[in-house]
Amino acid sequence: MSKTPESLNNAQNNTKSSLGPAKPITTLPDLFLTAVSLLFLFSSPKPNHTLFRKFLSFPPNPRRFPKMTTTSQSRTSFATPQALSDWLKPRLSSDSLDSWGVKPGTKNLHNLWLELSEGETSLVDSSPPLRTVNVVTVRILGKGNLVLVESRQELSDGSFRDRFRPLSEKMKPHETTEEAVARAVKEELGSSRIVRIVPGSYRKKLEERNSASYPGLPARYVLHSVDAWVEGLPEEDFVTEEKEEYEDVDGTRGLEKAVSVRKHYWEWVCSDSLCS
């Protein structure tokens, strides 16, 4: 039996509805546009991160700092002079260490141990170690624009060492500049005297140089300097004697083993060309 045209159309419509909606056929222009888009995507320049960094509160690639090692730490005390010696030997040349207390004008290992015990000195753990000292310097003013300087010192071993510098003294821990000035005047210039610090004269300065007391040991001096008037001083050059620098109540510190200052030699010198 032959099918009519209407029945053929109905059959075709039923077939399309069962297969779902027809998918669009990709044409040649569509393929061309897709290829151009992909080419543009991969060939475009990288974004400029510099513009973004201006708005960031932290750097996109933070710098990594090395961790601190024990070589940067400071040693402030040792149980015994022998412990200090054992610590120094691998860090300091034997020639330098052997010259301490032997070379005229130098101090010995026991002196350094006492300084560390008193908190006057610290040693940075390095090779060679770095000795750090806070020092008060008093520029004592006299008549006619004169300034008092210590020309030299006589040590307990009979040697002398040249100084030619104003009154200077190592500072104690937690000691103020004013307290250090009063103590320095009392210890090195004799009995207690009236000291008047010139207002506004305080200066702080950092100096690094090889230590004259301990050859081969570099030193960093933190200098706290003031100008001052001290009453009752002789107008001519003079000499003062110093008592023991450290106390030894129970007799266990071996002060006799250290090289100490016995006498200070003082001179008045011109501070400028206007001296009378």
Side-chain angles (χ1 to χ4, degrees):
M1 181 177 177
S2 61
K3 296 183 180 179
T4 63
E6 293 182 359
S7 62
L8 289 174
N9 292 332
N10 291 334
Q12 290 176 359
N13 292 334
N14 292 334
T15 303
K16 291 178 181 179
S17 61
S18 64
L19 295 175
K23 295 182 180 179
I25 300 174
T26 303
T27 62
L28 183 60
D30 294 333
L31 291 173
F32 177 75
L33 292 175
T34 301
V36 172
S37 300
L38 292 173
L39 179 62
F40 177 79
L41 176 63
F42 288 103
S43 63
S44 59
K46 296 182 180 180
N48 188 358
H49 295 291
T50 305
L51 297 177
F52 300 133
R53 292 177 185 171
K54 296 180 179 179
F55 303 98
L56 296 176
S57 59
F58 53 89
N61 295 313
R63 180 182 176 184
R64 295 181 179 179
F65 292 93
K67 294 182 179 180
M68 297 298 290
T69 61
T70 55
T71 56
S72 62
Q73 295 179 352
S74 296
R75 292 294 301 267
T76 56
S77 64
F78 293 83
T80 62
Q82 184 60 49
L84 173 59
S85 177
D86 294 340
W87 185 84
L88 285 172
K89 284 179 179 179
R91 296 168 173 84
L92 193 66
S93 69
S94 58
D95 291 341
S96 297
L97 194 57
D98 292 342
S99 70
W100 294 3
V102 177
K103 183 179 178 180
T106 64
K107 295 183 178 180
N108 59 28
L109 182 73
H110 207 88
N111 286 97
L112 184 59
W113 179 74
L114 289 171
E115 290 180 13
L116 290 162
S117 301
E118 290 287 320
E120 298 173 337
T121 294
S122 64
L123 293 175
V124 175
D125 191 353
S126 57
S127 296
L130 176 65
R131 173 176 171 251
T132 301
V133 191
N134 279 274
V135 179
V136 65
T137 300
V138 190
R139 187 169 174 265
I140 298 176
L141 308 178
K143 296 179 180 180
N145 293 318
L146 294 176
V147 174
L148 186 67
V149 297
E150 184 181 23
S151 60
R152 61 176 180 165
Q153 294 176 341
E154 182 180 344
L155 305 181
S156 58
D157 61 1
S159 64
F160 290 83
R161 62 176 182 175
D162 295 331
R163 300 281 285 175
F164 207 79
R165 66 185 63 177
L167 169 63
S168 302
E169 183 70 18
K170 295 185 294 294
M171 297 179 69
K172 303 288 186 181
H174 312 298
E175 191 174 42
T176 66
T177 302
E178 292 80 4
E179 293 169 343
V181 168
R183 181 175 59 82
V185 170
K186 181 179 179 180
E187 291 181 358
E188 298 194 9
L189 292 178
S191 59
S192 299
R193 302 175 186 273
I194 297 177
V195 181
R196 291 180 289 121
I197 297 176
V198 177
S201 65
Y202 174 79
R203 297 290 184 273
K204 185 177 180 180
K205 181 181 178 181
L206 183 67
E207 288 187 1
E208 293 188 355
R209 59 179 184 268
N210 288 326
S211 173
S213 299
Y214 308 101
L217 188 66
R220 175 185 292 139
Y221 298 97
V222 184
L223 304 177
H224 305 264
S225 304
V226 297
D227 292 350
W229 296 92
V230 178
E231 294 186 3
L233 293 178
E235 296 184 3
E236 303 294 332
D237 299 346
F238 60 98
V239 179
T240 58
E241 295 185 4
E242 184 174 351
K243 298 180 180 179
E244 290 293 343
E245 186 176 0
Y246 303 107
E247 295 183 357
D248 191 6
V249 178
D250 54 6
T252 60
R253 307 185 70 184
L255 299 184
E256 71 283 353
K257 298 178 182 179
V259 179
S260 57
V261 178
R262 286 289 181 254
K263 293 182 180 181
H264 303 272
Y265 292 79
W266 304 97
E267 294 181 10
W268 293 102
V269 299
C270 292
S271 61
D272 51 41
S273 59
L274 300 178
C275 287
S276 56

